[in-house]
Amino acid sequence: MTEIKKKILIVEDHPIFRWGLSELINQEPDMVVCGDATDVSGAWKAIERLEPDLIIADITLENSDGIDLAKAVNRRSKTIPVLILSMHDQFLYAERALHAGARGYIMKQEAMESVVTAIRQVLAGKIYLNEKVKDQILFNLADRPAGGGRSSMDRLTDRELEVFRMIGKGFSTREIASKLHLSIKTIGTYRERIKEKFSLKHANELVRHAVHWEKTGEIPNGTPLP
């Protein structure tokens, strides 16, 4: 009797990476890539049409992000697990992905080596994190004050974090508004909230902090960048 292969949907907007991931997964005897999409809208159409057993989603997508997709999938169908891919190894993203309902988090740098292991673990009902990210999350939980105090980054909402990340990548307010399908005024409000949470006074300080974080994964603790 032929074994029924597990169907994997890839939601990724980089065609070369998507192709490589598909080739790797399709080599496995018990799983197959049933389809792909580049954004959340396309992902939902594919989910309804293909009924995948697991979704692999990049955290950064065209006009959307994988965390939003994980939240939506978790609300609509808790039976389809989501595995998040990211260029970032910051535990902050991994924590947010898990809170959004994702069942695993894997960095793109290790995806070609570990994605099959991650898929099998998630399909078995477990959560996949590599040891580095797992240790970072556990350390953060142990180091967090008993009163619930949080760092400035922790206090950012998911949307504020997305705007902050895009500022760090050099996008203007108008470009961010266009990509996120929001008004320029709304993005301006997000920028002001982020500045307030970082105790920053000027827009150029916000840009410097965002660029520094995008490059290093670190935010100076209350110290203005030169």
Side-chain angles (χ1 to χ4, degrees):
M1 181 177 178
T2 303
E3 182 180 3
I4 297 176
K5 294 185 177 185
K6 294 294 185 180
K7 295 186 293 184
I8 313 299
L9 174 67
I10 299 177
V11 187
E12 161 67 56
D13 61 358
H14 291 85
I16 294 177
F17 186 83
R18 187 171 63 241
W19 176 84
L21 204 57
S22 297
E23 287 292 300
L24 183 66
I25 293 170
N26 285 334
Q27 290 177 13
E28 298 300 311
D30 57 344
M31 59 182 72
V32 63
V33 174
C34 63
D36 57 58
T38 60
D39 58 16
V40 171
S41 175
W44 276 117
K45 293 176 183 177
I47 290 169
E48 292 172 357
R49 185 177 76 256
L50 302 170
E51 299 182 344
D53 297 294
L54 180 141
I55 300 166
I56 299 178
D58 192 349
I59 205 166
T60 305
L61 302 169
E62 291 181 0
N63 307 318
S64 51
D65 66 74
I67 288 181
D68 282 346
L69 178 61
K71 286 180 180 177
V73 171
N74 196 46
R75 283 195 302 268
R76 291 199 200 180
S77 174
K78 294 182 182 293
T79 61
I80 305 176
V82 179
L83 176 62
I84 293 291
L85 280 169
S86 176
M87 287 294 292
H88 302 275
D89 65 354
Q90 292 99 338
F91 71 88
L92 178 65
Y93 275 114
E95 275 194 311
R96 287 172 186 260
L98 296 180
H99 284 311
R103 305 301 295 173
Y105 181 92
I106 186 170
M107 291 175 285
K108 282 190 171 181
Q109 297 91 322
E110 63 168 343
M112 294 307 176
E113 298 176 0
S114 306
V115 70
V116 171
T117 299
I119 290 171
R120 294 191 193 285
Q121 192 160 320
V122 171
L123 286 173
K126 300 177 182 178
I127 291 176
Y128 178 85
L129 296 170
N130 71 23
E131 290 302 318
K132 180 181 177 182
V133 173
K134 189 184 299 181
D135 287 346
Q136 285 178 317
I137 290 177
L138 292 175
F139 180 82
N140 181 57
L141 290 173
D143 197 48
R144 188 169 290 167
R150 298 187 296 167
S151 71
S152 298
M153 290 303 293
D154 286 334
R155 291 198 298 271
L156 295 185
T157 65
D158 288 340
R159 183 60 78 191
E160 288 166 354
L161 178 61
E162 181 70 2
V163 170
F164 186 66
R165 184 187 62 78
M166 295 178 78
I167 293 171
K169 286 183 174 293
F171 292 110
S172 68
T173 296
R174 183 178 296 276
E175 289 171 328
I176 295 172
S178 176
K179 287 180 176 294
L180 298 181
H181 298 291
L182 297 171
S183 70
I184 293 175
K185 182 178 179 181
T186 297
I187 300 302
T189 299
Y190 283 132
R191 290 176 66 108
E192 290 303 313
R193 290 177 184 171
I194 296 167
K195 282 166 54 181
E196 182 179 348
K197 289 177 180 180
F198 284 141
S199 299
L200 303 174
K201 295 181 179 179
H202 306 292
N204 59 350
E205 289 181 317
L206 172 60
V207 171
R208 288 199 297 269
H209 275 66
V211 170
H212 183 78
W213 180 75
E214 181 64 24
K215 290 181 177 179
T216 68
E218 298 177 353
I219 285 291
N221 295 320
T223 304
L225 290 171

